[in-house]
């Protein structure tokens, strides 16, 4: 699926580099003892019964595995007891990942030798690796048991909601995994070519993961707060207020460093519901230039359209027509949905295009987008034309007089990398610059020039030109963006963007964000580089 096609059904994509998730999992191992969610030690003992069955015991705290007896008949067990680093690898796009463990040290007691004379020996686990394909699942906290949250995560989530059961979490689902089908290309027993040792090692780890209860499963890849419960001091626009989350993985065949976990969200604005998982993206949302390894992309229909273009359209439609009233007999023009048209370079807008008859009115503008030195630039240019013609039959001729007022205008709205507002929150900086020219062109035929009523007509039309000139000169476009309906000024709306980003995804170790360069594509979809940083 072409990436931007996602915005026909969803509103935002938060793409997080695989390496960022893996560093978060390691960070969870490095928390203080009381808060550590992922242990750095993994110890599991397999007890082998005479009937061929096996039971697994997970060792916790200071518990140690049994010692190997000099009497082989007393050795009815095997074990692994090592320190490790967890990680995920995205081998293909979709909903599956490879869950991996790389052991830094420790010991394992495994069986070797012929079946008639087996021997239990110990081995150093340094460099051993284990991998298995698993699905991910997204559920509300509490659906799979009461989960202990790392304190940094709880602190972050409490900024958005007091009800943790509303929070959705993306976790590695070991309960449905085919743990017997471990990854032979990744799983190795370092320093040994004995396939039997590798099988025992993988089987022990499969037993460990199988016995891990869901509520005690620490392998969470992210948390999604409920947008409807977002606590914020600002007025978050509906297009920036997430209300539902799903996910999909992306594997880049040419550059695995662009592998990413993608959280895909809907917002309050369009009122859509999450239905299943998105189709597979054609490319990674990441460019490889992100310093923080993450990017957030907001669809045209949730940011640029409702906060910039629709207010400009509606404001020009209403205020220009008010100036025409009493001078030119024309309708107000098209509603926004009827006036917008996609072009190869952006969008064109037609408020009115009446160019025949005695009363004419044209009000159109075009919009294009570009990225300039880390800034997103929305370029607008338009024309307003009003024309009035009067015909009067005199004794010897037909007098005709007309008057045309034409305003050409252009300008830009720029979204720049964040600065901190008065409350210390990072906020996208908004600037806009507009200019215009006015042509006031009266005209008449020879017949009309001999009659004084032509002067009266011109006197009646001149105020229209002056009014439109004053309207545009008074920076109508700036005033429109300073008073976006239900939001207020655009800069204030952008100040809530920090709340929006924090409210989309909280990473496994409870990282907070900063955001950098702002980009925009030819369709008006805005993306921001995200950098996740720790507060602890």
């Amino acid at each position: 699926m072409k990436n931007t096609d996602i915005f026909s059904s969803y509103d935002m994509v938060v793409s997080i580099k695989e390496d960022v998730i893996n560093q978060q999992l390691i960070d969870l191992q490095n928390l203080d003892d009381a808060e550590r969610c992922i242990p750095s030690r993994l110890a599991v003992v397999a007890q082998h019964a005479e009937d061929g069955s096996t039971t697994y015991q997970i060792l916790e705290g200071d518990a140690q595995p049994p010692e190997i007896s000099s009497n082989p008949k007393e050795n009815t067990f095997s074990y692994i007891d090592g320190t490790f680093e967890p990680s995920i690898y995205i081998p293909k796009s979709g909903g599956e990942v490879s869950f991996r463990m790389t052991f830094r040290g420790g010991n394992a007691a495994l069986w070797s030798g012929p079946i008639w004379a087996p021997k239990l020996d110990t081995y150093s686990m340094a460099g051993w690796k284990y991998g298995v394909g698993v699905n991910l699942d997204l559920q509300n906290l509490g659906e799979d048991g009461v989960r202990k949250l790392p304190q940094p995560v709880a602190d972050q989530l409490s900024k958005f909601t007091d009800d943790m059961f509303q929070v959705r979490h993306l976790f590695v689902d070991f309960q449905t995994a085919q743990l017997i089908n471990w990854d032979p290309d990744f799983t190795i027993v370092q320093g040994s070519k004995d396939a039997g040792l590798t099988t025992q090692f993988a089987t022990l780890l499969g037993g460990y993961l199988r016995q891990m209860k869901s509520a005690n499963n620490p392998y969470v890849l992210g948390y999604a707060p409920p947008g409807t419960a977002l606590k914020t001091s600002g007025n978050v626009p509906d297009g920036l207020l997430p209300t539902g989350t799903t996910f999909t993985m992306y594997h880049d065949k040419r550059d695995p460093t662009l592998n990413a976990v993608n959280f895909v969200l809907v917002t309050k604005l369009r009122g859509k519901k999450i239905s299943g998982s998105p189709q597979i993206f054609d490319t990674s949302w990441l460019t490889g230039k992100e310093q923080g390894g993450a990017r957030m992309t907001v669809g045209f229909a949730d940011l640029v359209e409702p906060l910039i273009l629709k207010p400009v359209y509606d404001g020009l439609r209403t205020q220009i027509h008010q100036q025409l009233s009493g001078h030119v007999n024309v309708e107000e023009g098209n509603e926004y949905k009827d006036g917008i048209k996609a072009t190869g370079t952006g969008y064109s807008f037609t408020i009115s295009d009446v160019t025949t008859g005695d009363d004419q009115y044209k009000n159109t503008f075009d919009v294009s987008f570009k990225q300039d030195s880390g800034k997103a630039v929305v370029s607008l240019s338009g024309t307003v034309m009003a024309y009035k013609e009067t015909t009067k039959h005199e004794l010897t001729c037909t007098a005709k007089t007309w008057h045309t007022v034409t305003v050409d205008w252009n300008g830009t709205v720029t979204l720049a990398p964040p600065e901190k507002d008065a409350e210390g929150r990072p906020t996208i900086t908004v600037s806009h610059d507009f200019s215009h020219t006015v042509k006031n062109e009266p005209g008449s035929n020879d017949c009309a020039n001999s009659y004084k009523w032509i002067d009266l007509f011109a006197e009646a039309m001149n105020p229209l030109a002056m009014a439109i000139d004053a309207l545009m000169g008074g920076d109508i476009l700036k005033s429109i963006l300073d008073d976006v309906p239900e939001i207020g000024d655009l800069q204030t709306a952008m100040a809530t963007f920090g709340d929006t980003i924090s409210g989309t995804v909280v990473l496994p170790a409870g990282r907070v964000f900063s955001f950098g360069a702002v980009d925009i594509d030819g369709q008006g979809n805005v993306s921001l580089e995200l950098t996740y940083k720790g507060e602890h």
Side-chain angles (χ1 to χ4, degrees):
M1 174 181 66
K2 182 181 177 183
N3 284 32
T4 52
D5 287 349
I6 193 73
F7 296 123
S8 63
S9 301
Y10 301 89
D11 300 302
M12 296 182 185
V13 178
V14 178
S15 187
I16 303 171
K17 196 174 181 180
E18 178 184 272
D19 290 349
V20 172
I21 297 292
N22 288 335
Q23 183 58 54
Q24 291 276 295
L25 296 178
I26 293 173
D27 288 349
L28 286 173
Q29 286 187 317
N30 295 331
L31 294 174
D32 295 338
D33 290 344
E35 298 299 333
R36 184 179 298 129
C37 293
I38 298 180
S40 56
R41 176 199 181 202
L42 189 157
V44 58
V45 178
Q47 293 287 351
H48 308 293
E50 291 184 0
D51 62 3
S53 62
T54 301
T55 58
Y56 297 91
Q57 177 189 5
I58 297 173
L59 303 181
E60 298 179 351
D62 296 328
Q64 298 297 315
E67 294 185 4
I68 296 177
S69 172
S70 57
N71 181 359
K73 292 184 179 180
E74 295 180 359
N75 297 325
T76 59
F77 61 87
S78 57
Y79 69 78
I80 55 176
D81 185 3
T83 57
F84 73 102
E85 289 185 355
S87 64
I88 62 163
Y89 172 67
I90 301 171
K92 62 181 180 179
S93 298
E96 182 178 307
V97 300
S98 175
F99 176 74
R100 294 178 168 183
M101 294 178 171
T102 300
F103 286 83
R104 298 186 293 260
N107 295 292
L110 303 175
W111 292 91
S112 63
I115 192 171
W116 58 88
K119 182 182 180 182
L120 185 62
D121 286 325
T122 58
Y123 303 85
S124 169
M125 295 186 67
W128 289 23
K129 298 179 180 180
Y130 169 78
V132 64
V134 294
N135 289 319
L136 301 181
D137 197 3
L138 187 66
Q139 294 182 2
N140 284 355
L141 287 174
E143 288 184 5
D144 59 345
V146 178
R147 181 184 299 280
K148 176 185 177 182
L149 294 174
Q151 192 58 46
V153 171
D155 291 344
Q156 277 292 97
L157 293 176
S158 66
K159 297 177 182 178
F160 308 109
T161 179
D162 295 320
D163 184 359
M164 292 301 165
F165 291 99
Q166 294 186 46
V167 177
R168 292 173 69 78
H169 64 302
L170 180 66
F171 62 94
V172 178
D173 185 4
F174 296 115
Q175 303 301 308
T176 62
Q178 298 295 320
L179 297 173
I180 194 173
N181 296 328
W182 43 271
D183 182 357
D185 294 327
F186 183 80
T187 304
I188 61 169
V189 170
Q190 190 71 32
S192 174
K193 297 182 179 180
D194 187 340
L197 292 180
T198 303
T199 299
Q200 289 180 72
F201 167 57
T203 301
L204 274 163
L205 279 170
Y208 165 79
L209 296 175
R210 189 176 296 108
Q211 291 205 168
M212 185 181 295
K213 294 181 180 180
S214 296
N216 296 323
N217 176 3
Y219 298 106
V220 176
L221 306 188
Y223 300 86
T228 53
L230 188 66
K231 296 179 180 178
T232 174
S233 58
N235 184 16
V236 179
D238 287 349
L240 303 181
L241 187 62
T243 56
T245 309
T246 185
F247 70 95
T248 184
M249 307 294 119
Y250 180 77
H251 170 76
D252 195 294
K253 297 178 181 178
R254 292 173 296 181
D255 185 359
T257 65
L258 298 180
N259 289 357
V261 178
N262 299 298
F263 290 85
V264 184
L265 303 100
V266 294
T267 66
K268 184 178 179 181
L269 179 64
R270 296 198 288 171
K272 290 181 176 291
K273 301 292 185 181
I274 292 289
S275 57
S277 297
Q279 298 180 41
I280 293 173
F281 296 125
D282 285 348
T283 60
S284 178
W285 288 91
L286 302 174
T287 65
K289 299 179 181 179
E290 295 86 0
Q291 294 182 359
R295 179 173 291 274
M296 178 184 197
T297 305
V298 183
F300 168 77
D302 287 271
L303 198 162
V304 170
E305 184 175 44
L307 298 186
I308 300 176
L309 299 186
K310 191 174 186 299
V312 167
Y313 185 100
D314 290 342
L316 288 176
R317 177 175 180 262
T318 300
Q319 296 188 42
I320 295 295
H321 186 260
Q322 288 175 350
Q323 298 301 322
L324 296 179
S325 180
H327 299 281
V328 182
N329 185 24
V330 290
E331 298 294 330
E332 192 172 36
N334 297 318
E335 296 283 349
Y336 178 87
K337 63 182 178 61
D338 300 317
I340 182 174
K341 180 181 179 182
T343 67
T345 57
Y347 297 89
S348 66
F349 294 88
T350 302
I351 298 173
S352 179
D353 193 21
V354 179
T355 55
T356 59
D358 293 346
D359 295 86
Q360 301 177 23
Y361 170 42
K362 180 178 181 180
N363 191 349
T364 62
F365 64 97
D366 296 312
V367 176
S368 61
F369 312 100
K370 69 176 182 178
Q371 199 265 0
D372 182 17
S373 302
K375 303 175 183 178
V377 181
V378 182
S379 298
L380 307 94
S381 61
T383 297
V384 176
M385 185 278 294
Y387 173 89
K388 179 70 175 180
E389 179 180 307
T390 298
T391 301
K392 188 174 182 180
H393 298 288
E394 301 294 348
L395 292 175
T396 59
C397 62
T398 299
K400 181 182 294 185
T401 185
W402 59 89
H403 203 119
T404 305
V405 178
T406 305
V407 177
D408 292 312
W409 63 271
N410 63 77
T412 58
V413 179
T414 302
L415 307 179
E419 298 178 357
K420 290 188 176 181
D421 64 11
E423 298 180 11
R425 299 176 302 175
T427 177
I428 293 175
T429 302
V430 180
S431 61
H432 33 67
D433 181 36
F434 297 100
S435 62
H436 77 285
T437 60
V438 177
K439 290 183 180 180
N440 188 20
E441 301 173 297
S444 58
N445 64 6
D446 291 340
C447 180
N449 291 338
S450 61
Y451 293 95
K452 287 187 176 182
W453 62 263
I454 180 64
D455 297 326
L456 298 175
F457 176 77
E459 289 176 5
M461 289 298 291
N462 281 332
L464 174 62
M466 295 171 61
I468 295 178
D469 187 18
L471 187 66
M472 302 302 291
D475 217 345
I476 176 179
L477 297 165
K478 179 181 182 301
S479 65
I480 289 170
L481 296 176
D482 285 345
D483 190 20
V484 178
E486 300 181 9
I487 295 299
D489 72 275
L490 184 57
Q491 182 63 71
T492 300
M494 289 297 99
T496 67
F497 219 111
D499 297 312
T500 296
I501 295 173
S502 292
T504 56
V505 177
V506 174
L507 287 183
R511 293 306 192 222
V512 296
F513 75 96
S514 63
F515 46 94
V518 186
D519 200 353
I520 191 167
D521 65 19
Q523 296 175 288
N525 306 307
V526 174
S527 68
L528 301 95
E529 291 185 19
L530 301 184
T531 301
Y532 288 87
K533 301 186 297 184
E535 289 186 315
H536 52 275

